[in-house]
Amino acid sequence: MSYQTETSEATRNEGKFFAMIICWLLGNGCLFSWNSMLTIEDYYVYLFPRYHPTRVLTLVYQPFALGTLAILAYNESKINTRKRNLAGYTLFFLSSLLLIVLDVATSGRGGIGVFIGICAISGAFGVADAHVQGGMVGDLFLMCPEFTQSFLAGLAASGVLTSALRLITKAAFENTQDGLRKGAMMFFAISAFFELLCVLLYAFIFPKLSIVKYYRSKAASEGSMTVAADLAAAGVQKQHDQGAEEDPKLLDRLSNKQLLSQNSDYAIDIFLIYVLTLSIFPGFLSEDTGSHSLGSWYALVLIAMYNVWDLIGRYVPLVKQLKLTPRKVLMVAIISRFLLIPAFYFTAKYGDQGWMIMLTSFLGLSNGYLTVCVLTAAPKGYKGPEQNALGNLLVVFLLGGIFSGVTLDWLWLIGKGW
């Protein structure tokens, strides 16, 4: 079987800008709920002062995300990508609603039982992230690099939006009774609404765009089986093509092991980027930066600055002259970032808040920039099924880096004696 598709340049580019906007929104939805949970860390620190909620919630989230994604990536070629992504966004929506229900049911009280419930929801966010982030990156690897860049920018934009909303709600409710809780409830409500929007966008709008149908039809003609449900939802009909069906080259693709061998440097790159970032953000920035004139606003400002510059960094590679493409140069730049570890340590110990804000901004800028450079370069030269598989494999290493960074942050905490 093959799929009908128009190959004219007009069809190929029709709706490209609108598709990029939807990719940006879907990227937002991939981390909006989780970033909302992180951004209200002051509320959770107030409720659970003895449990280090920022670090614990991150540590719970990551094993679920990494373990689920490893299973999904291993079975990627057999999985219906449409059902996978819709399941992820739906789980984000339901988990966000559950946070509201849990808080209302307990009247905003703390305690170990409530904290365990929040940790369980954090684990559900991890499972949802594994479905969506790996599924979407693999899906967009089949298409043009601008879609991948827009999705990755959306991931960062979710942090900027949640940080901005947190600063606004903190200012609005700071002097009111139960102000922290009101701000948190507003966050969860907005998060649930946004995740529902992502479900609707992915289910009914995105698959029907001409440019999306073109790239998915092209991937299907190259042997990809994961796009069949999305093409059916878009009304693209199969055409019988005996020659294509019998061509062994059509169904032949590199194995995951071969793909990983050819792209081991990219896998190491993405792993190292996030090992460093998550060993500093958000745990160190939330709890280990000392006392400063900004008071309770200080951690929120640092997290906001990281998110803003992370977003800016993801747009810098759009300027071709500023995009790093040589593989060895990328590796050197990524390894050089590890100089930030002693820089943060000595700044927290001896520097003032201005230097810490500058370092945090650079951490975010370099994280976003290098992520886009790696993930937009990797899929070039491969056909549809291989691009999808490679996208899933690289996201496994991305989440592996995050988990390792969080673990290092915990070891630092234990080493200081909590």
Side-chain angles (χ1 to χ4, degrees):
M1 296 291 182
S2 65
Y3 287 85
Q4 290 180 325
T5 179
E6 299 175 34
T7 56
S8 69
E9 194 65 27
T11 301
R12 181 173 179 172
N13 291 301
E14 186 180 344
K16 182 175 181 179
F17 182 71
F18 186 48
M20 289 173 66
I21 293 174
I22 293 180
C23 289
W24 189 87
L25 291 170
L26 292 173
N28 255 282
C30 185
L31 285 182
F32 197 90
S33 295
W34 171 240
N35 278 328
S36 294
M37 181 176 270
L38 285 184
T39 307
I40 60 163
E41 52 87 22
D42 52 343
Y43 177 56
Y44 284 143
V45 168
Y46 169 75
L47 284 182
F48 314 108
R50 298 173 52 200
Y51 303 142
H52 300 279
T54 304
R55 284 183 162 107
V56 171
L57 292 176
T58 305
L59 191 63
V60 170
Y61 175 95
Q62 294 307 328
F64 281 96
L66 181 59
T68 303
L69 182 59
I71 295 169
L72 292 172
Y74 182 77
N75 297 287
E76 166 272 329
S77 62
K78 306 171 187 175
I79 294 174
N80 182 320
T81 300
R82 179 176 174 81
K83 289 182 178 178
R84 171 181 174 175
N85 288 334
L86 286 175
Y89 283 119
T90 302
L91 184 56
F92 273 130
F93 167 64
L94 295 175
S95 299
S96 298
L97 276 183
L98 197 56
L99 281 173
I100 299 175
V101 171
L102 180 63
D103 196 89
V104 170
T106 59
S107 301
R109 291 191 297 271
I112 187 64
V114 178
F115 187 64
I116 290 172
I118 291 172
C119 286
I121 295 172
S122 178
F125 281 154
V127 173
D129 181 26
H131 279 76
V132 172
Q133 193 166 175
M136 285 299 302
V137 170
D139 198 16
L140 296 178
F141 265 27
L142 303 171
M143 307 179 198
C144 56
E146 291 86 348
F147 288 2
T148 302
Q149 184 275 331
S150 292
F151 181 80
L152 295 174
L155 293 176
S158 67
V160 175
L161 291 174
T162 51
S163 292
L165 284 170
R166 186 66 193 119
L167 293 173
I168 292 169
T169 54
K170 183 174 176 63
F173 296 120
E174 188 171 29
N175 297 319
T176 64
Q177 185 178 8
D178 215 12
L180 275 177
R181 187 183 178 214
K182 290 176 182 176
M185 289 299 98
M186 180 178 290
F187 252 87
F188 296 146
I190 293 172
S191 179
F193 170 79
F194 194 80
E195 297 300 347
L196 179 60
L197 175 65
C198 288
V199 172
L200 299 176
L201 284 173
Y202 187 82
F204 302 111
I205 307 297
F206 188 64
K208 295 182 179 179
L209 298 178
S210 296
I211 188 171
V212 174
K213 288 193 286 185
Y214 166 79
Y215 280 112
R216 282 177 171 162
S217 297
K218 181 174 179 289
S221 71
E222 294 172 345
S224 178
M225 305 298 292
T226 61
V227 296
D230 283 303
L231 287 169
V236 178
Q237 300 298 318
K238 289 183 180 180
Q239 252 188 339
H240 188 71
D241 187 346
Q242 188 67 29
E245 208 170 70
E246 293 177 352
D247 185 0
K249 292 182 180 178
L250 183 67
L251 300 176
D252 188 33
R253 52 151 277 193
L254 295 174
S255 67
N256 286 354
K257 184 177 180 180
Q258 290 171 316
L259 284 169
L260 199 54
S261 175
Q262 293 180 10
N263 295 276
S264 57
D265 56 335
Y266 286 138
I268 294 169
D269 285 345
I270 206 72
F271 178 84
L272 292 178
I273 289 170
Y274 284 88
V275 164
L276 174 69
T277 298
L278 269 291
S279 64
I280 297 170
F281 174 87
F284 178 84
L285 296 183
S286 297
E287 299 184 25
D288 297 311
T289 51
S291 299
H292 298 276
S293 60
L294 287 171
S296 64
W297 287 80
Y298 186 51
L300 294 179
V301 169
L302 289 178
I303 291 172
M305 292 305 295
Y306 169 86
N307 287 325
V308 168
W309 284 98
D310 184 33
L311 175 60
I312 292 171
R314 293 177 191 233
Y315 282 100
V316 172
L318 290 178
V319 182
K320 290 184 179 179
Q321 295 83 349
L322 298 178
K323 184 178 180 180
L324 274 183
T325 52
R327 296 168 83 142
K328 290 183 179 178
V329 176
L330 269 173
M331 179 69 79
V332 170
I334 288 164
I335 292 174
S336 299
R337 288 180 81 230
F338 280 82
L339 293 172
L340 287 170
I341 292 177
F344 269 98
Y345 174 77
F346 287 111
T347 301
K349 198 167 184 179
Y350 305 111
D352 61 23
Q353 60 194 27
W355 285 105
M356 183 61 77
I357 290 171
M358 185 192 73
L359 275 178
T360 303
S361 300
F362 182 75
L363 178 72
L365 177 69
S366 58
N367 183 84
Y369 172 75
L370 292 169
T371 297
V372 170
C373 286
V374 171
L375 291 182
T376 54
K380 292 180 180 177
Y382 294 101
K383 60 185 181 180
E386 294 164 347
Q387 291 171 325
N388 198 332
L390 180 58
N392 276 271
L393 289 172
L394 290 180
V395 175
V396 170
F397 278 85
L398 186 154
L399 291 183
I402 292 175
F403 179 65
S404 299
V406 171
T407 303
L408 288 173
D409 184 47
W410 262 98
L411 292 175
W412 166 262
L413 181 65
I414 293 169
K416 323 191 309 179
W418 292 71

